[in-house]
């Protein structure tokens, strides 16, 4: 990232909460000079103040990229302050939930390159996955720059259409909470079978983390990995007969959960 247009022309980070801080830490670790970064944040953390970036200072006239990481309720106040950067070469990348590309085009101008991104919270340890989609003005260059930047937070995938963002929100955006709840309920179930709470939670967390790591490394898909550990008439099969029940098991439950998150995302985008 040292020799990129971002390093040369500068990066503006509008908002630097947990997600913004996680991404900034990743960029700096990958070699982006702190002097190439301008951060606008009304309540900067102690960590941010010690990074050597331009903090709440006058912004460059034409930075290479602006990452919009403010909360949706702050968008109407914060975004218009950058209107002069619109309709030019500056690429706007938004990780703000529920804010469609059309909003940016209305505020900044229809010819503004805009990339909408949906990350998830494992970005904080560079193990997230982010889906991106751009408007007509963005083109291949803007998407490439956004992907380069967002890879600091983990994997990046490109969508064919902005409408897919809502389903991405339902699967990966909200997905970490589903997995955390799985850990909780596994620990509860282990405790109900006589295990101490701390041990049950340790077993649940390590099992979910290990299974996830195996799924990422293995050549087989998750369905095959499941079959690999399921002996006929064994303990795993007994559990899976409950979990895979067509009426009350994981399949219908997760479909309803993802559908609910997806629909809520659509509602937020409509305002």
């Amino acid at each position: 990232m040292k020799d990129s247009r971002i390093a040369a022309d500068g990066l503006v980070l509008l908002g630097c909460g947990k997600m913004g801080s996680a991404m900034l830490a990743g960029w700096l670790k990958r070699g982006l000079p702190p002097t190439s970064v301008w951060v606008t944040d009304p309540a900067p953390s102690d960590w941010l103040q010690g990074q050597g970036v331009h903090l709440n200072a006058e912004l460059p006239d034409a930075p290479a990229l602006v990452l919009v990481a403010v909360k949706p309720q702050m968008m109407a106040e914060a975004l218009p302050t950058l209107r002069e950067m619109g309709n030019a070469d500056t690429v706007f990348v938004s990780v703000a939930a529920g804010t469609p590309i059309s909003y940016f085009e209305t505020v900044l101008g229809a010819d503004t390159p805009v990339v909408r991104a949906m990350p998830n919270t494992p970005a904080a340890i560079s193990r997230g996955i982010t889906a991106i989609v751009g408007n007509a003005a963005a083109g291949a260059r803007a998407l490439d720059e956004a992907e380069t930047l967002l890879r600091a937070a983990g994997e990046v995938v490109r969508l064919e259409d902005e409408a897919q963002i809502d389903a991405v929100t339902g699967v990966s955006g909200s997905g970490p909470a589903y997995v955390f709840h799985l850990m909780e309920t596994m620990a509860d179930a282990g405790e109900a079978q006589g295990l101490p709470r701390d041990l049950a939670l340790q077993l649940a967390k390590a099992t979910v983390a290990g299974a996830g790591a195996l799924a990422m490394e293995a050549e087989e898909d998750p369905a095959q990995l499941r079959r690999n550990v399921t002996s006929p008439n064994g303990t795993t099969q007994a559990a899976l007969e409950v979990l895979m029940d067509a009426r009350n098991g994981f399949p219908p439950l997760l479909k309803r959960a993802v559908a609910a998150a997806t629909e809520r995302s659509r509602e937020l985008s409509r305002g």
Side-chain angles (χ1 to χ4, degrees):
M1 193 179 283
K2 292 180 182 179
D3 300 322
S4 69
R5 189 173 80 96
I6 295 171
D9 295 340
L11 163 70
V12 172
L13 180 54
L14 185 62
C16 197
K18 291 183 179 179
M19 187 62 70
S21 294
M23 291 183 174
L24 177 58
W27 303 331
L28 297 177
K29 185 177 180 180
R30 291 186 174 208
L32 182 66
T35 52
S36 295
V37 181
W38 280 257
V39 178
T40 298
D41 191 280
S45 65
D46 292 340
W47 174 86
L48 178 58
Q49 295 179 56
Q51 297 309 304
V53 301
H54 303 279
L55 182 57
N56 293 326
E58 184 177 353
L59 301 179
D61 293 332
L65 192 144
V66 174
L67 183 82
V68 182
V70 297
K71 295 178 180 179
Q73 58 267 33
M74 299 173 60
M75 187 71 71
E77 179 181 352
L79 191 61
T81 64
L82 305 182
R83 185 175 283 117
E84 292 184 1
M85 298 178 187
N87 285 335
D89 291 334
T90 297
V91 178
F92 283 77
V93 178
S94 170
V95 297
T99 306
I101 289 174
S102 60
Y103 179 83
F104 288 85
E105 293 174 332
T106 298
V107 175
L108 302 170
D111 293 327
T112 304
V114 180
V115 176
R116 187 177 175 190
M118 172 51 64
N120 61 6
T121 52
I125 57 168
S126 298
R127 293 296 301 272
I129 186 164
T130 303
I132 62 174
V133 63
N135 65 353
R141 189 198 71 181
L143 283 169
D144 287 344
E145 289 181 345
E147 182 170 341
T148 297
L149 196 72
L150 293 168
R151 274 203 215 106
E155 294 187 48
V156 178
V157 296
R158 299 190 185 191
L159 305 180
E160 296 178 358
D161 186 88
E162 186 182 7
Q164 293 177 309
I165 281 279
D166 299 311
V168 169
T169 301
V171 176
S172 61
S174 300
Y178 314 157
V179 179
F180 299 146
H181 187 52
L182 173 63
M183 293 178 184
E184 286 182 281
T185 54
M186 285 179 67
D188 290 343
E191 189 176 14
Q193 295 303 315
L195 294 175
R197 177 67 185 180
D198 289 350
L199 176 59
L201 187 58
Q202 182 181 359
L203 291 170
K205 289 166 64 176
T207 299
V208 173
L214 177 59
M216 293 297 292
E217 296 291 335
E219 295 183 359
E220 301 98 328
D221 64 19
Q224 184 58 50
L225 292 174
R226 169 180 54 77
R227 288 190 285 268
N228 291 347
V229 297
T230 306
S231 302
N233 298 316
T235 58
T236 305
Q237 180 176 325
L240 288 176
E241 287 176 356
V242 176
L243 294 176
M244 297 178 70
D245 182 79
R247 290 177 59 88
N248 301 306
F250 269 178
L253 184 64
L254 262 294
K255 283 182 180 178
R256 294 200 305 272
V258 171
T262 301
E263 180 55 33
R264 181 57 180 153
S265 178
R266 293 191 183 107
E267 291 173 356
L268 291 173
S269 295
R270 291 192 294 263

